[in-house]
Amino acid sequence: MITKEEIEELIIQIRKEHGLPLSPFEIDEIRYDKEGDKLFIIAHDRTDKSVIIGSSLVIGKLREILGVNLVTVYTTLDLLVKRETLKKSLKFAEEHGLDFLIPIIEAEFNFPPRNWPQIKKKEKGLIFLTFNAPALLGFGELMFKEQSVYGIRYTFPKLNYKVVDRPLRELFFPDSSFVAEISRNENVEIAISEFQECCKVEKDVILINPMRFFGIGYFETKYLFGETRPAVFQKEDLIDYVVEQVGDGLMEATDGAKIIWWGWKH
């Protein structure tokens, strides 16, 4: 197994070869997922992470040299923040009888790598589609045996869902009261969407934002579940969404910039 010292030497070598400044950086840990052939670099802080990634050039060359499927960089702070999120989610799950989610929460405490166990799924859940629709559908498959899927008219023409006429802003910021209402009408106890809260109970309906609940950001869900962007939206809402996601650590600034540029051209 390659050591962090060897990784550091390779990064310096790559930066020299491509005329990049030799900025100091620190790696706290290296983890390798043999099953997925993935290398995880745990940098000390975000400045170190930026140097290691090197505008994607350094990390891309590093992956080529090592011959692995994927090289990903996290920071020690990223993982500490994630663990604090998971502690709160674990407490919520224990308090509200969400025992079926506890094995996934416990597995996420050991991330990276990610090794989700098979769980006993809830019989039925509701999904309200928002911007990161593939992630919500993916988590729905993970959590529920059967799903009722709702979405705003015209937003995802290639996906199958029950259409509702709602303000387009709810494509990014769903109304929790409305989602709770349609969940009760469907006789469903748990609904997932991109709520601004990690998790809460509203009139006997449990509302969960799985990305916030498990501390999994856009970059990771994109590789886990793919991405499908909405056909219609309001640009101002898109910017508000991206700014909030980046501010909350759920989206990398580079991903956010790309999404805004796409939205503006669209």
Side-chain angles (χ1 to χ4, degrees):
M1 175 59 192
I2 193 165
T3 66
K4 70 174 187 177
E5 289 77 17
E6 290 170 322
I7 293 290
E8 288 168 353
E9 288 177 9
L10 284 173
I11 291 169
I12 292 169
Q13 175 189 318
I14 293 166
R15 295 186 72 89
K16 280 182 179 178
E17 289 176 353
H18 292 85
L20 299 175
L22 298 180
S23 306
F25 65 95
E26 185 176 351
I27 294 175
D28 287 346
E29 189 182 352
I30 297 292
R31 299 184 192 178
Y32 177 64
D33 175 20
K34 186 175 181 180
E35 184 177 340
D37 192 25
K38 300 174 184 176
L39 183 74
F40 299 94
I41 301 173
I42 315 300
H44 187 66
D45 59 28
R46 294 196 68 85
T47 303
D48 300 316
K49 179 178 177 178
S50 296
V51 175
I52 294 165
I53 292 173
S55 300
S56 296
L57 185 150
V58 175
I59 198 171
K61 292 294 181 181
L62 190 60
R63 185 184 67 82
E64 289 177 17
I65 292 169
L66 297 174
V68 296
N69 284 336
L70 181 70
V71 178
T72 307
V73 186
Y74 294 92
T75 70
T76 298
L77 180 60
D78 290 336
L79 299 182
L80 288 173
V81 170
K82 179 182 178 71
R83 287 177 189 132
E84 288 304 310
T85 296
L86 292 170
K87 287 178 185 177
K88 295 175 184 176
S89 298
L90 180 60
K91 183 179 179 182
F92 183 88
E94 290 171 341
E95 289 176 348
H96 295 90
L98 302 175
D99 295 349
F100 73 107
L101 293 181
I102 290 176
I104 301 176
I105 296 170
E106 291 175 340
E108 282 295 300
F109 271 111
N110 297 317
F111 175 83
R114 175 169 286 117
N115 293 304
W116 284 340
Q118 291 291 324
I119 64 170
K120 185 178 180 181
K121 299 180 182 182
K122 203 72 174 174
E123 289 297 325
K124 189 176 181 182
L126 184 138
I127 303 168
F128 185 82
L129 297 177
T130 44
F131 179 79
N132 200 355
L136 292 170
L137 293 171
F139 279 112
E141 286 290 325
L142 177 73
M143 295 167 58
F144 310 125
K145 288 184 179 179
E146 180 185 344
Q147 306 91 35
S148 294
V149 183
Y150 283 79
I152 300 170
R153 189 181 299 276
Y154 306 127
T155 51
F156 295 102
K158 294 183 180 180
L159 299 179
N160 294 320
Y161 59 89
K162 298 177 183 180
V163 172
V164 290
D165 291 306
R166 300 292 296 174
L168 276 178
R169 186 167 178 81
E170 291 181 28
L171 175 63
F172 302 98
F173 304 99
D175 185 319
S176 58
S177 297
F178 173 73
V179 176
E181 179 185 344
I182 59 176
S183 298
R184 286 192 296 274
N185 292 338
E186 289 274 1
N187 197 28
V188 170
E189 297 177 350
I190 304 175
I192 63 173
S193 189
E194 289 187 83
F195 304 112
Q196 288 180 276
E197 304 90 346
C198 162
C199 46
K200 70 174 184 176
V201 179
E202 187 160 322
K203 295 181 180 178
D204 299 326
V205 177
I206 296 172
L207 304 174
I208 294 175
N209 179 332
M211 286 71 85
R212 293 185 183 276
F213 191 79
F214 297 115
I216 299 177
Y218 181 82
F219 173 82
E220 294 174 90
T221 61
K222 183 169 61 175
Y223 284 95
L224 284 170
F225 307 117
E227 64 178 338
T228 299
R229 293 179 182 173
V232 294
F233 56 89
Q234 296 179 109
K235 293 178 181 178
E236 294 80 6
D237 297 336
L238 175 67
I239 292 173
D240 289 344
Y241 170 82
V242 168
V243 169
E244 181 176 285
Q245 293 286 301
V246 172
D248 291 345
L250 291 170
M251 183 181 288
E252 293 290 335
T254 48
D255 279 328
K258 289 174 184 176
I259 289 170
I260 290 174
W261 178 243
W262 162 82
W264 224 249
K265 290 192 298 180
H266 185 82

